[in-house]
Amino acid sequence: MEKLLLNIKSPKDLKTLDIDQLKQLSGEIRQKIIEVTSIKGGHLAASLGAVEIAIAVHYCMESPKDKIVWDVGHQSYAHKLLTGRFKAFDTLREMGGLSGFPKVDESEHDPFTCGHSSTSISAALGLAVARDLKGENNKVVAIIGDASLSTGLAFEGMNHAGHARKNLIVVLNDNEHYISKHVGAMSRYLNRVITNPLYNRVKNEAERILKNIPKVGPVAYKTVKKVQDGLKNLLVPGIIFEELGFRYFGPVDGHDLEELISMIRRVQAMKEPVFIHAITQKGRGYKFAEESPTKFHGIEAFDMATGNVIKEQVPEKCFTSYFSEKILELGLKNKNIVTITAAMPDGTGLQEFATEFPDRFFDVGITEPHAVTFAAGLAKAGLIPVVAVYSTFLQRAYDQLIHDVALQKLPVIFCVDRAGLVGKDGPTHHGVFDVSYTRSLPGFIVMAPKDGTELKEMLEKAVEWGKPVVIRYPRASGERIVADSSCVPVTVGRAEVLREGKNAVILALGSMTNTALRTAEILSKKKIEVKVVNARFIKPLDTELLEEIALYGCKIFILEECVSAGGFASAVLEFFQRENLVNVKVKCLGLPDEFIEHGAREELLRKYHLTPDEAAQTIECELTQ
Ligand SMILES: Cc1ncc(C[n+]2csc(CCOP(=O)(O)OP(=O)(O)O)c2C)c(N)n1
């Protein structure tokens, strides 16, 4: 059979296909997505579930004139394949290759860059309002998942859109999952809408009547709509979307191209906010992903025939596993410990705790701001909340950190995972800002462990301290680091000297400690002896040690896996300046003031001179200048 996908150079090429060809195309797209993600890894399950939505929307719309805004964007692989990126698709998530998310620099068909959830409705509304102000004439479609819809930001967007009454289509891609099974009241509500047979029967009947009126005059239309609305409200109390000002259509089978296309066509001419509720299956069309959508949400390279992951990205035991073990142990000892995740129980390592202590575990959905304020409430009432969250997603909750936790000095512990370069997910996901935004929080203790064992100790101490605490750790191996000096217990504001040396000092933060030790070994072979300090604390700093090393007079190199703007090195420099230690020579080896692209973590670390070889080269150069 002729391969249709090869001839799709732009969405225009779709328009010439008939429905059977579109169905064939959906199969080819799925095959391509499975093949490429089996090699490159990626967000397979969500993308497989959104193939027909992508085809139907592009079939009915005229991108790039019409704007198609994906939410999160991890499910947009079919959209990429339909918008001239077929050839480049083989480079998915590679350094210099296609991004795993929509990206304005990548294609004119990506009107909005994303990676974090729930931005689509607000962004689409902005595009729609701008269109109207500029007197332009195009459609705007936001495609959002059921979990992303359940967030404050999405409601804020809906609330405004329903009020502004702009011409805007929201397609809900409802697969009843976020990464794991979607929980929460919104999920329950959507489920009721889908499964309520009485409602559906009556609604279908009303729609049938509407369709069968040969030419629906305004009066007849209004009357039927009134009846339909009345029935809806009677049978499904307060249809949320209609109450919010949207015309609700659905539920529709999100894999039935005919149904989808006819529904989009029906609403296309409407000049008001429209909500299409499409039911989809996460992982659709690949047996293993259908059976285990959570495993295949974001997956590394796998064997297509068995669905088994070929090699783990982190072969050794990662920091997350150490966290997972310790929080379980602490939970057994202390009944006041409660844990919170914003829709990521697996990724953050809380699943075991959740299984052991279901009453003390809270998955609050993709609601980081709520997660933080909820934790603050729990802490106010005397519990010890531990929020496990990725660095990049905690960005959402900056005000809550200040207003709800710091201001009241509440003892909430933030275990900030994926702090540093995360690799292939790219700029929306690198956890490189948390040092800057947490070290400015008054009263917070901010730490970065050198390895998993230290992470465990920090967590244990954090529970005792009764203060707001951040522990940041990367997506990397947490294997124990063995250094010359003996292990010094974690004490607030004390760093740990791991190696002595007279030619220079490396002050290393968390994940960079091992790099610093290996750098020192390389330099030692060149007769350059470097003292290595594991900083441990970003806040409060070990001012005693800093003063001591400032007085050595040798150059200090600060290694940090975060942006240097406002980072750990900045904190050290501020201290030297405050103390008038202005002659100290300091060189910051951190990340520049720019967004870091996607690519393997190791590649990126090399690019930014944060591997032992690169760091040794920089230090040698600086010392011999
Ligand atoms: C603010 C934020 N928090 C967490 C995530 C991590 N994340 C990526 S996809 C996803 C689930 C999205 O679920 P849904 O919107 O229902 O889409 P689906 O994957 O089911 O298609 C989560 C939690 C994120 N991208 N953004």
Side-chain angles (χ1 to χ4, degrees), residues 46 72 74 115-117 145-148 173 175 177-179 282 297 343-344 366 368 393 396:
V72 186
H74 63 312
H116 287 198
S117 95
D146 49 303
S148 297
N173 169 18
N175 59 23
H177 277 80
Y178 30 70
I179 293 175
K282 206 159 177 171
H297 176 86
M344 315 207 55
I366 315 175
E368 291 81 4
F393 303 137
R396 281 257 160 114

Side-chain angles (χ1 to χ4, degrees), residues 30 33 37 42-54 70-79 100-101 143 145-146 148 173-175 177-179 255 280-284 289-290 292-299:
R30 283 209 165 81
I33 292 175
T37 45
H43 289 98
L44 178 63
S47 276
L48 290 179
V51 171
E52 283 80 9
I53 290 181
W70 294 87
D71 203 279
V72 186
H74 63 312
Q75 76 293 57
S76 66
Y77 294 177
H79 160 80
F101 297 92
I143 301 163
D146 49 303
S148 297
N173 169 18
D174 185 357
N175 59 23
H177 277 80
Y178 30 70
I179 293 175
H255 300 299
T280 58
Q281 181 187 20
K282 206 159 177 171
R284 175 82 165 200
E290 285 179 5
S292 316
T294 304
K295 173 180 165 192
F296 284 90
H297 176 86
I299 185 135

Side-chain angles (χ1 to χ4, degrees), residues 109-181:
H109 297 281
D110 293 357
F112 207 76
T113 296
C114 57
H116 287 198
S117 95
S118 317
T119 59
S120 64
I121 299 176
S122 303
L125 180 61
L127 295 171
V129 168
R131 168 201 62 203
D132 293 352
L133 283 175
K134 288 158 76 182
E136 289 168 358
N137 176 26
N138 61 278
K139 302 197 171 50
V140 184
V141 183
I143 301 163
I144 185 165
D146 49 303
S148 297
L149 184 75
S150 312
T151 72
L153 182 54
F155 276 108
E156 288 163 30
M158 297 255 296
N159 183 43
H160 185 189
H163 170 72
R165 304 219 56 73
K166 292 291 166 192
N167 179 0
L168 166 74
I169 299 173
V170 172
V171 178
L172 170 62
N173 169 18
D174 185 357
N175 59 23
E176 297 185 70
H177 277 80
Y178 30 70
I179 293 175
S180 41
K181 187 91 180 147

Side-chain angles (χ1 to χ4, degrees), residues 13-52:
D13 299 323
L14 270 184
K15 322 258 176 192
T16 58
L17 304 183
D18 62 29
I19 194 74
D20 288 331
Q21 289 172 313
L22 291 178
K23 285 180 190 166
Q24 182 191 326
L25 182 68
S26 67
E28 290 178 20
I29 288 175
R30 283 209 165 81
Q31 189 57 29
K32 183 74 182 169
I33 292 175
I34 297 166
E35 275 168 21
V36 173
T37 45
S38 76
I39 299 165
K40 305 286 179 191
H43 289 98
L44 178 63
S47 276
L48 290 179
V51 171
E52 283 80 9

Side-chain angles (χ1 to χ4, degrees), residues 567-587:
F568 171 62
S570 287
V572 173
L573 286 168
E574 283 165 23
F575 169 74
F576 286 151
Q577 188 268 341
R578 222 170 27 240
E579 296 301 310
N580 237 349
L581 296 163
V582 284
N583 292 327
V584 195
K585 287 185 237 79
V586 179
K587 170 98 183 162

